[in-house]
Amino acid sequence: MFKDQVFIRICHVKTGYEDRERHIVTEFGSRGVPVNWYLDHDIADFLDEEQRSGRAAEVSLSRKHIGIWHDFLKTDLPYCLVFEDDVFLARNFVTRLADCLKEIGTDRKAVVYLGNGGNYYTPRSKLRKGQFLYPGKHSRCTDSYILTRSAAEARCQWFSASKLVRPIDWEVNDSDRETGTEILWFERPIVEQGTHNGRFATSISPKRQRPLWYKRLEWAFKKCRRKIFGHTAG
């Protein structure tokens, strides 16, 4: 599947965050998922030390995502699978991913969010047996998602004419809505983001963090409640 269908890349940096690198190698290796890093567009690649601001890490991450889409379009593969470097995969990740690809097909212009970023869920009452993809109003963060070729093309074109002013997981909402790209949530999620569930500290806004133990408790409580009643950003 990964060789013949899926272009897979993991946003990472050339130096630093070795704990995340070790985690990904172990996590992906135990589930048979290839580890292919994307290391371009580090902060040092486009800003010198005097130019760096509080948004530098945010812009760097956005550029990494966009760069991955462009590299994907240089291939003839039908799907682009993107991860950030703090993800945890479900034990049955590969099996469920195959279910996702089967349901989405190759002709739709769509993005599928595989994780539960923001603790966003489709209400349990709306889930249907044998159905994995459900319409979402917005992204579930950009820690893990799949793009079809037409969706990647639409994003690349949109971002080529737009300036990055917000985090990438906000920008793609405007991009996808304006280009008519389907926003889909995979239910139940098969990826969890370590900076959301309290396993890693965030690298984007390190000054605004609660203790990790608090984040773990808060995340677990919200997840239990929202899996039942559902939750969106509005």
Side-chain angles (χ1 to χ4, degrees), residues 1 17 32 51 55 80 87 95 98 100 130 135 140 175 185 190-191 213 222:
M1 173 173 58
Y17 296 98
Q51 293 174 314
R55 289 198 65 232
C80 180
V87 294
T95 301
C100 174
R140 286 202 292 198
S175 165
W185 292 357
I190 52 177
V191 181
W213 65 264
K222 287 182 178 179

Side-chain angles (χ1 to χ4, degrees), residues 19-37:
D19 57 337
R20 296 191 184 195
E21 183 174 334
R22 291 190 296 269
H23 161 70
I24 289 294
V25 169
T26 300
E27 184 80 359
F28 281 42
S30 66
R31 287 153 177 76
V33 180
V35 175
N36 297 317
W37 304 108

Side-chain angles (χ1 to χ4, degrees), residues 43-215:
I43 295 173
D45 293 340
F46 61 93
L47 290 178
D48 62 34
E49 191 168 347
E50 292 183 358
Q51 293 174 314
R52 295 175 193 176
S53 67
R55 289 198 65 232
E58 179 184 295
V59 172
S60 172
L61 180 59
S62 296
R63 291 188 177 188
K64 287 177 183 289
H65 281 274
I66 296 168
I68 291 172
W69 309 336
H70 280 281
D71 283 359
F72 162 59
L73 292 175
K74 296 175 185 177
T75 75
D76 58 359
L77 298 174
Y79 305 107
C80 180
L81 174 56
V82 183
F83 293 105
E84 292 176 2
D85 61 5
D86 61 339
V87 294
F88 290 77
L89 307 181
R91 292 186 181 276
N92 61 347
F93 175 84
V94 173
T95 301
R96 300 301 304 282
L97 179 64
D99 292 332
C100 174
L101 300 185
K102 182 178 179 181
E103 185 170 338
I104 194 175
T106 58
D107 296 331
R108 297 165 72 174
K109 184 165 67 174
V111 53
V112 180
Y113 292 97
L114 302 174
N116 61 349
N119 248 325
Y120 296 128
Y121 286 95
T122 301
R124 187 168 64 184
S125 61
K126 293 186 177 181
L127 301 183
R128 300 292 178 262
K129 185 177 181 179
Q131 179 181 343
F132 303 106
L133 305 183
Y134 294 82
K137 296 180 179 179
H138 51 75
S139 76
R140 286 202 292 198
C141 302
T142 52
D143 59 280
S144 55
Y145 60 89
I146 290 175
L147 290 175
T148 59
R149 290 193 70 82
S150 55
E153 290 168 352
R155 282 190 175 185
C156 286
Q157 184 175 3
W158 191 90
F159 276 92
S160 68
S162 302
K163 183 178 179 180
L164 293 170
V165 295
R166 296 176 300 170
I168 189 66
D169 50 350
W170 293 7
E171 294 280 8
V172 292
N173 288 329
D174 289 344
S175 165
D176 294 338
R177 280 194 290 263
E178 291 180 20
T179 59
T181 299
E182 285 187 87
I183 300 173
L184 301 170
W185 292 357
F186 188 89
E187 296 289 359
R188 287 302 196 215
I190 52 177
V191 181
E192 198 156 278
Q193 190 171 12
T195 52
H196 284 196
N197 66 14
R199 300 292 293 273
F200 287 111
T202 179
S203 61
I204 300 297
S205 53
K207 294 182 179 180
R208 302 193 298 273
Q209 296 191 62
R210 293 173 175 173
L212 293 182
W213 65 264
Y214 182 91
K215 291 181 68 174

